[in-house]
């Protein structure tokens, strides 16, 4: 039996206008927008937990810089005035093993003197320090006698005002236990831009959470697309991309894989030597 033509037509129209389930509609719209480059496809957001203290590990520690800590300013991490930048005198230079080519700059540690009744302070108090410098190896000296920072030793050369919180000044070198801890910071991540139009350098400091920056990206509001910056030394990052005249966004990634994006924090009329504040890690 032949089906009348008007019944076939009505059936076709019904199928055409039959609505899709809601989840299919949303998925289709997202994919279309993604193809146009405006939005990434829908993906589940996986929030990483806050940075947690790590396990206790054995090491040794010495001190440097004098009682006022003045000789600890600056250093291999690229930080300048540690007092003004909020690090104070609670700082340490790391052995090459811990320094990791500058990647560990900005990491925070809890350290306590152990197993030395003569030099450790009673009650085994602990101190909190930030990694701000490198304790270089000394190939002319034995790792057991003066070459404390030779690889593969894990060693802390601590600013003297912090060192004496856990041990006597006369100790010289002490056995310690240490662990990574979250960095507690006031305010946002700071970005200090120096250099010139053809060699932009950005110092990243006052970083909370894990504290140590493993990646820095920059994006402009006009022509500058997302650009990966290169570690120049410590926490100073560089790029030859044209940043001047752009409203800038920075994206920071720390060693625990967390990312913080500070959108449009730098105005188009920014100048070299200025510092800008972005979103910090919780």
């Amino acid at each position: 039996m032949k089906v009348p033509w008007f019944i076939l037509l009505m059936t076709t129209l019904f199928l055409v206008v039959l609505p899709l389930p809601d989840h299919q509609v949303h998925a289709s719209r997202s994919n279309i927008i993604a193809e146009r480059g405006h939005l990434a496809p829908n993906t589940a957001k996986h929030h990483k937990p806050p940075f947690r203290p790590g396990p206790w590990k054995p090491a040794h520690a010495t001190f440097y810089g004098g009682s006022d800590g003045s000789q600890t300013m600056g250093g291999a991490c690229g930080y300048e005035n540690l007092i003004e930048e909020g690090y104070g005198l609670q700082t340490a230079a790391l052995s090459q093993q811990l320094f990791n080519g500058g990647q560990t700059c900005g990491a925070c540690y809890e350290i306590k003197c152990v197993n030395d009744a003569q030099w450790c302070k009673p009650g085994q108090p602990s101190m909190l320090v930030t990694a701000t410098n490198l304790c270089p190896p000394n190939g002319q000296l034995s790792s057991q006698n003066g070459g404390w920072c030779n690889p593969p030793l894990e060693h802390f050369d601590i600013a003297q005002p912090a060192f004496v919180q856990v041990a006597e000044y006369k100790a010289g070198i002490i056995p310690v236990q240490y662990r990574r801890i979250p960095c507690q910071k006031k305010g946002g991540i700071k970005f200090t831009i120096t250099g010139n139009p053809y060699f932009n350098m950005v110092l990243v400091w006052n970083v909370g959470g894990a504290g140590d920056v493993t990646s820095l990206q920059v994006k402009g509001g006009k022509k500058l697309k997302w650009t990966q910056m290169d570690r120049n030394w410590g926490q100073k990052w560089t790029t030859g991309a044209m940043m001047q005249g752009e409203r800038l966004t920075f994206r920071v990634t720390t060693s625990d894989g967390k990312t913080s994006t500070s959108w449009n924090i730098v105005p188009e009329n920014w100048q070299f030597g200025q510092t800008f504040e972005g979103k910090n890690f919780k």
Side-chain angles (χ1 to χ4, degrees), residues 134-188:
L134 167 68
C135 179
N138 187 339
Q140 303 300 315
L141 297 176
S142 165
S143 297
Q144 304 301 317
N145 186 20
W148 311 121
C149 292
N150 293 346
L153 297 180
E154 294 190 346
H155 187 89
F156 296 86
D157 200 17
I158 300 168
Q160 185 177 327
F163 181 89
V164 296
Q165 295 171 11
V166 300
E168 299 296 333
Y169 168 83
K170 296 180 180 180
I173 181 170
I174 56 172
V176 299
Q177 286 187 340
Y178 77 94
R179 64 175 179 170
R180 283 281 300 272
I181 59 171
C183 296
Q184 305 294 332
K185 300 296 180 182
K186 294 181 180 180

Side-chain angles (χ1 to χ4, degrees), residues 27-38:
S28 298
R29 288 175 179 169
S30 295
N31 290 334
I32 291 171
I33 297 174
E35 289 174 1
R36 293 175 180 172
H38 299 301

Side-chain angles (χ1 to χ4, degrees), residues 191-203 229 237-246 248 250 266-276:
F191 304 88
T192 301
I193 308 175
T194 56
N196 59 63
Y198 308 101
F199 185 77
N200 303 278
M201 181 174 285
V202 179
L203 172 64
M229 301 190 72
W237 299 76
T238 60
T239 180
M242 183 58 68
M243 291 170 47
Q244 204 167 30
E246 295 265 12
L248 300 176
F250 288 108
V266 181
E268 292 181 6
N269 62 346
W270 64 269
Q271 301 294 319
F272 290 104
Q274 289 184 303
T275 298
F276 303 92

Side-chain angles (χ1 to χ4, degrees), residues 45-53 182 208-211 254-259 281-282:
K45 292 184 178 180
H46 300 285
H47 296 286
K48 292 182 179 293
F51 188 81
R52 303 294 185 188
T254 47
S255 61
D256 58 346
K258 295 186 70 174
T259 296
F281 296 94
K282 296 181 179 180

Side-chain angles (χ1 to χ4, degrees), residues 79-248:
Y79 307 126
E80 297 171 7
N81 189 315
L82 299 177
I83 304 298
E84 293 180 359
E85 292 172 349
Y87 299 103
L89 300 178
Q90 298 293 123
T91 62
L94 307 187
S95 64
Q96 192 175 54
Q97 185 76 11
L98 290 170
F99 191 69
N100 195 21
Q103 180 174 306
T104 312
C105 291
C108 298
Y109 295 89
E110 181 179 7
I111 301 174
K112 55 186 179 182
C113 181
V114 297
N115 303 325
D116 193 331
Q118 180 180 6
W119 301 120
C120 293
K121 292 286 181 73
Q124 204 174 77
S126 62
M127 59 176 157
L128 309 180
V129 297
T130 303
T132 60
N133 206 349
L134 167 68
C135 179
N138 187 339
Q140 303 300 315
L141 297 176
S142 165
S143 297
Q144 304 301 317
N145 186 20
W148 311 121
C149 292
N150 293 346
L153 297 180
E154 294 190 346
H155 187 89
F156 296 86
D157 200 17
I158 300 168
Q160 185 177 327
F163 181 89
V164 296
Q165 295 171 11
V166 300
E168 299 296 333
Y169 168 83
K170 296 180 180 180
I173 181 170
I174 56 172
V176 299
Q177 286 187 340
Y178 77 94
R179 64 175 179 170
R180 283 281 300 272
I181 59 171
C183 296
Q184 305 294 332
K185 300 296 180 182
K186 294 181 180 180
I189 297 175
K190 305 293 177 58
F191 304 88
T192 301
I193 308 175
T194 56
N196 59 63
Y198 308 101
F199 185 77
N200 303 278
M201 181 174 285
V202 179
L203 172 64
V204 185
W205 52 284
N206 199 54
V207 183
D212 51 345
V213 179
T214 58
S215 172
L216 178 65
Q217 295 175 290
V218 63
K219 179 184 180 301
K222 297 178 182 177
K223 297 180 180 180
L224 182 62
K225 306 301 182 183
W226 277 116
T227 300
Q228 178 66 52
M229 301 190 72
D230 300 316
R231 187 190 305 276
N232 188 268
W233 56 288
Q235 289 301 358
K236 287 197 171 184
W237 299 76
T238 60
T239 180
M242 183 58 68
M243 291 170 47
Q244 204 167 30
E246 295 265 12
R247 184 180 62 213
L248 300 176

